Amino acid sequence: MMGRPSNQAGELAHRLGDQAEAVCRHYLSKGHREGRYWLVGDVRNTPGRSLYVRLAGSQDGRGAAGKWTDASTGEHGDLLDIIAIAGGHHRLRDTLDEARRFLSLPGPEPVGDDPRYRREPKAPTGTPQAAQRLLAASKPFLATVVEAYLRNRAITDVRKGDPLRFHPHCYYRSSRDDLPKTRPAWPAMIAAVTDLDGGVTGVHRTWLDPATIDKAPVASPRRAMGHLLGHGVRFGGADSVMAAGEGIETLLSVRQIMPAMPMIAALSSPHLGAILFPAALRRLYVVRDDDPAGDVAVATLSERASSVGIEIVPLSPMLDDHNEDLRLIGPERMRAALRPQLVPADVGRFLMPSR
């Protein structure tokens, strides 16, 4: 939420993340822990479940300990933002001093007009025009490491018309969490983010390592750029019945079982809760992950959809997510688990018969 120097604030945010639960218990005391997350109503410590804070970093690089998102507003930040709001701070210096006090760290030398305390604007996340240029510079993804990566995740139903592309040398901006000699470019899967009219508003990048046919060994192998809120990566055209989920691999895993279902990947839980509904939509299947963020996304979509006559139907995985189901349990058992979750009228229309 707030701009800050990368050295002082970054180090303090990292230290706070190491004690994320203690920070939450102190500054977000009206919340509670559920699994790997701390849930509360909002950044001002209102009771509820809309805001969730990661208490431990994820192994897939999608989030660090202390990072938080409010599914109702789309706001996100780190624990320094929580401390700033809790203390009503108007100066970054006050927030850093409070963070040091909480962590029992000594104050810096010197203070006064030390330039390390000056606010710096956040780096831009990329415009739709930049996203369109990156998409135009990419190539078809079939018969590349992108297709190999998806097949390595048991996703074999890949199509020429899918909104995916391949970039052989996609620039990667390293972060504080990367190794000092992290490569500046990797092959990448590029996914087009579009609005309801099909206009490109952004792209999503997944950096890949050809040697392992997996995500590249960087701190943030997945990043998006452009205007994302309300939009998504669309597989198939809008219809009265559709499915929506967070990740591209998650939705493509379900498409292995329901190949005719139109789908949209929103790329994060907050963005899933904020997707714009096509005019023809009457029933939306929410392909959720098995975590509190999935609960929040379903609740947010249900509240929004009820006012416009759209039915929300959750599709829950057996393991943590649907790609794990596909890879570790297999398509037949996955099909058997999804069948009772579907509206009966949709079973024959969308669910692939058992072999």
Side-chain angles (χ1 to χ4, degrees), residues 154 253 256-257 318-319 322-338:
S253 297
Q256 308 304 295
I257 312 301
M318 292 175 281
L319 301 176
H322 292 272
N323 187 247
E324 281 198 2
D325 286 3
L326 182 65
R327 290 185 293 110
L328 303 179
I329 296 178
E332 289 301 322
R333 288 183 61 191
M334 185 176 175
R335 179 182 296 107
L338 288 175

Side-chain angles (χ1 to χ4, degrees), residues 142-282:
L142 294 176
T144 70
V145 67
V146 172
E147 182 179 5
Y149 163 74
L150 293 173
R151 289 184 179 275
N152 200 36
R153 299 183 73 89
I155 298 169
T156 57
D157 181 7
V158 290
R159 308 170 189 177
K160 184 177 181 180
D162 286 340
L164 304 177
R165 302 280 290 176
F166 166 63
H167 196 295
H169 302 287
C170 186
Y171 173 68
Y172 175 80
R173 183 188 299 275
S174 61
S175 69
R176 177 179 56 83
D177 296 322
D178 279 299
L179 296 174
K181 295 184 179 180
T182 297
R183 282 168 46 180
W186 296 83
M189 177 172 72
I190 310 295
V193 177
T194 56
D195 58 23
L196 290 175
D197 297 322
V200 175
T201 66
V203 294
H204 183 269
R205 298 153 291 176
T206 304
W207 282 275
L208 303 173
D209 184 354
T212 61
I213 316 298
D214 204 344
K215 292 184 291 295
V218 295
S220 303
R222 294 186 176 100
R223 289 177 183 169
M225 62 186 295
H227 294 169
L228 308 180
L229 193 64
H231 312 313
V233 181
R234 301 172 192 274
F235 298 91
D239 202 349
S240 59
V241 181
M242 298 181 65
E246 292 184 42
I248 294 167
E249 293 93 330
T250 294
L251 280 193
L252 289 179
S253 297
V254 173
R255 193 176 70 170
Q256 308 304 295
I257 312 301
M258 297 190 291
M261 176 79 76
M263 300 181 175
I264 176 172
L267 305 177
S268 73
S269 174
H271 288 109
L272 176 57
I275 59 170
L276 298 176
F277 300 135
L281 184 63
R282 293 296 174 266

